[in-house]
Amino acid sequence: MTGIIEKLYRTADLSDAELRALIESDDAEAAELLRGRADEVRQRHYGKKVFLRGLIEVSSYCKNDCLYCGIRRSNKDADRYRLTREQIMLCAESGYELGFRTFVMQGGEDSTFTDEFMCGVIAELRGKYPDCAITLSLGERSFDSYRRMKEAGADRYLLRHEAASEELYAKLHPSELSLAHRKQCLYDLRSLGYQVGAGFMVGAPYQTTSDIIADLRFLQELKPQMIGIGPFIPHHSTPFADEKGGTLGLTLRLLGILRLMFPKVLLPATTALGTIAPNGRELGLQTGCNVVMPNLSPVNVRKKYDLYDNKICTGEEAAECRACLQRRIEAAGYEVAVERGDCVI
Ligand code: SAH
């Protein structure tokens, strides 16, 4: 395994067979070598900086029915909410005071969040916070919608491709959603000049090593500025309630591999990673991650943005989350960077 990891470190690529061996290896020495090399590469490009993204979960209404997701439209038990423009602005205001210089508006595909509504919010944020990046994560929309939101002032868009294998994509999504359209959205976003984020869940039901290799190859083709991965975690009111979740070991291995394959990428230590292990995000930071995305949503709606069971950070005020994360980041040996944190590519 040492030879494979060193080759990945030197060349940022491996054959499918080598990737398979590394992805499937649970050797502790190999894990430590991968961690060390990933940390070396992240420090070469980003030093010890960790970028904060203030996550504003704008709506839990969703017209889609993704089988893994707790806010899928068929979940009749979901307690739904959507934020008003004023609420979103208040979240940003408190976030700015806390040192956030990127705001991420994420939500289900809520048809009341029209282009007009979104462009109004984006333009207001752009006017009030010219030094901040505005990131959107609102799912699949038309080229024209992406164009209008870009013109209103959005900078970045997160849209995980979820699964680059047609077969797996079809097992995780209802038939009205297609991988081809998901990919088209990512290419549209890129052509419009957005900094783009893609990614997938680790340990999703039916996912094989070949599927993961397909995800890595798709990412090599797309070359996104950001890559979001986190463990799949079952939600009790979905068809995948009784499935096993993704493991810490495999998620860390993939984070290390991603850092070495994409040396300059922005790579978050996700909330899902912090949910499956108390020190999951710290371990992620030590294995190549350079971004964390604390929650800025109003505390009274936090529990309702319920993608998976036992989600952490649903009880604290933004300021508490910020202080807690700062402590965690520093204890892990890194430092919080109060800046937009663009990709160095
Ligand atoms: N509607 C937006 C935002 C989706 S939520 C969109 O389509 O992009 C953000 C991410 O949460 C999803 O892309 C998915 O990968 C992840 N997610 C959803 N359900 C999950 C679960 N049960 N476990 C772990 N991650 C989950």
Side-chain angles (χ1 to χ4, degrees):
M1 218 41 70
T2 305
I4 293 182
I5 295 168
E6 296 296 0
K7 178 180 170 191
L8 181 58
Y9 169 71
R10 276 198 327 273
T11 67
D13 201 9
L14 290 175
S15 68
D16 284 6
E18 290 163 331
L19 274 176
R20 176 177 302 277
L22 184 54
I23 291 167
E24 291 179 353
S25 153
D26 54 10
D27 183 84
E29 260 177 61
E32 185 49 31
L33 177 64
L34 180 61
R35 194 202 65 69
R37 286 308 198 194
D39 191 47
E40 192 184 322
V41 169
R42 79 85 86 193
Q43 293 210 34
R44 184 182 305 155
H45 299 295
Y46 291 99
K48 293 192 174 289
K49 284 182 184 176
V50 177
F51 301 122
L52 299 183
R53 315 303 194 196
L55 185 62
I56 307 173
E57 296 157 335
V58 293
S59 175
S60 72
Y61 285 89
C62 192
K63 66 174 197 278
N64 288 334
D65 218 16
C66 307
L67 276 77
Y68 44 83
C69 185
I71 62 169
R72 65 201 299 266
R73 68 160 187 264
S74 303
N75 181 6
K76 300 288 181 261
D77 296 332
D79 191 1
R80 312 269 175 181
Y81 74 94
R82 64 173 62 91
L83 300 185
T84 62
R85 174 164 168 166
E86 291 68 32
Q87 285 176 305
I88 296 172
M89 294 312 297
L90 284 173
C91 292
E93 198 178 306
S94 69
Y96 191 86
E97 281 164 23
L98 291 167
F100 292 94
R101 294 297 177 267
T102 292
F103 301 118
V104 182
M105 289 185 274
Q106 184 179 86
E109 291 192 21
D110 180 347
S111 41
T112 69
F113 279 35
T114 58
D115 295 344
E116 209 179 354
F117 175 81
M118 282 315 304
C119 288
V121 177
I122 293 163
E124 189 175 348
L125 285 171
R126 179 45 65 239
K128 281 196 177 143
Y129 306 106
D131 53 337
C132 292
I134 300 172
T135 305
L136 305 174
S137 181
L138 302 168
E140 297 176 29
R141 300 172 75 103
S142 68
F143 183 88
D144 197 52
S145 168
Y146 291 148
R147 183 184 57 74
R148 290 174 64 181
M149 296 194 294
K150 183 81 179 56
E151 284 168 5
D155 304 287
R156 307 182 185 142
Y157 205 102
L158 306 178
L159 185 77
R160 289 187 178 178
H161 64 278
E162 310 294 0
S165 130
E166 290 280 2
E167 211 185 317
L168 179 60
Y169 195 91
K171 287 180 179 155
L172 301 179
H173 299 97
S175 56
E176 69 263 21
L177 293 176
S178 78
L179 176 60
H181 190 255
R182 194 91 181 159
K183 286 185 175 175
Q184 187 56 51
C185 287
L186 284 162
Y187 287 115
D188 287 349
L189 289 161
R190 197 175 63 178
S191 75
L192 284 163
Y194 281 92
Q195 296 169 43
V196 168
F200 58 94
M201 291 180 295
V202 177
Y206 311 109
Q207 186 185 56
T208 64
T209 304
S210 302
D211 295 324
I212 295 174
I213 294 172
D215 288 322
L216 297 175
R217 297 297 179 215
F218 172 66
L219 292 169
Q220 284 181 318
E221 181 193 313
L222 180 71
K223 299 185 184 66
Q225 284 88 358
M226 305 167 281
I227 298 178
I229 68 161
F232 160 71
I233 304 172
H235 183 287
H236 61 277
S237 308
T238 63
F240 292 159
D242 298 324
E243 299 288 337
K244 283 206 299 280
T247 64
L248 178 65
L250 180 57
T251 307
L252 291 174
R253 220 143 55 232
L254 286 167
L255 287 170
I257 292 171
L258 287 169
R259 172 55 67 207
L260 294 184
M261 283 180 102
F262 305 93
K264 297 181 180 175
V265 83
L266 294 161
L267 189 63
T270 56
T271 305
L273 184 57
T275 297
I276 61 162
N279 59 342
R281 284 172 301 178
E282 289 88 330
L283 292 170
L285 291 174
Q286 291 166 338
T287 316
C289 292
N290 58 347
V291 171
V292 285
M293 301 176 63
N295 207 313
L296 284 180
S297 311
V299 175
N300 64 329
V301 306
R302 295 259 184 110
K303 282 198 168 46
K304 302 183 190 175
Y305 196 74
D306 189 23
L307 307 181
Y308 48 79
D309 288 343
N310 305 314
K311 191 171 162 223
I312 54 167
C313 308
T314 56
E316 294 88 6
E317 292 290 344
E320 292 171 67
C321 269
R322 168 72 169 80
C324 162
L325 267 172
Q326 171 133 10
R327 278 195 303 278
R328 286 168 179 269
I329 288 166
E330 289 171 1
Y334 301 90
E335 64 198 30
V336 170
V338 176
E339 52 183 287
R340 277 172 57 114
D342 287 296
C343 186
V344 294
I345 288 170

